[in-house]
Amino acid sequence: MSKLSKKSLIASTIAGALALTVSNFAAADALKDLQKAEEQIVKSSAKSQNKINGIYEQTQELLAEYRNVVDQADVLEGYNDHVQRMVDDQNANIASLERQIAGIDKIKQGVVPLMYKMIDTLEKFVELDVPVNLEPRKERIAGLRDVMSDSNVTTSEQFRLVLEAYEIEAAYGTIFDAYQAELDLGDKTITADFVHMGRVALIAQSLDYKNSWVWNNQSRSWEALGEEYNKGITDTIRMARQQLPMDLTKLPVYAAGAQ
């Protein structure tokens, strides 16, 4: 090989080395650009992922809120159904009460005259009955008439009082009792002890135990008794007052229909 050729070969080798070096520098720059691009892509990808995560979390929150609203709507619908049933029941009760009130007005139209008739009958009965505790019984009837004209007393309360008066009158037929009151003998009036066994016998005795009388409901008058009855009547009065134990005693009693 000639010297020129060797120089040319050396030059070519140097040129090739330079070219390779330049090529390596270019590749390094390209690699840096690529790495920067990749870093940018990674950063962009991370931002995108964060956005996706944020959107997902918002979606989950919205979904939870939606489900909560749906649940509340179901609860409200059930509660509204319950309230509607209560309203329907109340309306039915109101309608029933209105019908009852209308019926009460009709009942009053029949009950009020009946009560007046019952009071009149009771008054007549007391007049014809054995005069046991006569004054309180008359006062009770007068009180009933006052109640009937009192607008502040309800019809039901008026009727209750009338029935109560009937019950009290019925009880006189079974009560064994003694009390003190005025005795009208026609020509004079004295204070005396009275004792009655239901409506079977009504007897009076003077406070000095010396005189006794028995009520004759047929003649509507008091009849004097003999002295032989005084001791038995005194004992009977004491028994009624629980001052003596109950025992047999002799009392005058009018037989049914006796004159």
Side-chain angles (χ1 to χ4, degrees), residues 181-192 194 204-208 210-213 222 224:
E182 297 299 311
L183 174 63
D184 185 3
L185 296 175
D187 58 340
K188 61 180 179 179
T189 299
I190 65 172
T191 301
F194 293 79
Q205 187 175 66
S206 61
L207 299 183
D208 60 7
K210 294 180 179 180
N211 298 286
S212 301
W213 298 265
W222 290 97

Side-chain angles (χ1 to χ4, degrees), residues 41-61:
I41 291 171
V42 170
K43 291 181 179 178
S44 298
S45 177
K47 289 182 180 180
S48 298
Q49 187 62 44
N50 290 334
K51 289 183 179 179
I52 291 172
N53 292 339
I55 293 172
Y56 176 78
E57 291 176 357
Q58 291 178 359
T59 302
Q60 293 300 314
E61 291 176 357

Side-chain angles (χ1 to χ4, degrees), residues 130-247:
V130 176
V132 176
N133 285 323
L134 188 59
E135 291 306 316
R137 294 163 74 184
K138 288 182 177 180
E139 290 174 2
R140 186 177 300 109
I141 293 172
L144 289 177
R145 295 195 183 280
D146 291 339
V147 165
M148 292 301 296
S149 60
D150 190 345
S151 61
N152 293 321
V153 182
T154 62
T155 302
S156 60
E157 177 64 11
Q158 291 170 344
F159 192 63
R160 187 192 68 79
L161 292 173
V162 172
L163 291 180
E164 184 181 73
Y166 267 77
E167 290 175 356
I168 293 172
E169 286 298 326
Y172 280 120
T174 59
I175 293 176
F176 176 44
D177 188 28
Y179 59 94
Q180 196 171 96
E182 297 299 311
L183 174 63
D184 185 3
L185 296 175
D187 58 340
K188 61 180 179 179
T189 299
I190 65 172
T191 301
D193 287 325
F194 293 79
V195 63
H196 72 96
M197 294 182 293
R199 291 185 169 89
V200 175
L202 174 61
I203 301 169
Q205 187 175 66
S206 61
L207 299 183
D208 60 7
Y209 313 121
K210 294 180 179 180
N211 298 286
S212 301
W213 298 265
V214 62
W215 175 258
N216 185 336
N217 208 46
Q218 295 293 328
S219 63
R220 304 294 299 172
S221 63
W222 290 97
E223 296 182 359
L225 296 172
E227 293 182 358
E228 68 273 17
Y229 287 104
N230 288 342
K231 176 66 167 57
I233 293 172
T234 300
D235 291 344
T236 301
I237 292 172
R238 290 176 177 175
M239 291 178 197
R241 289 173 174 167
Q242 299 182 352
Q243 296 171 346
L244 285 178
M246 300 299 291
D247 198 358

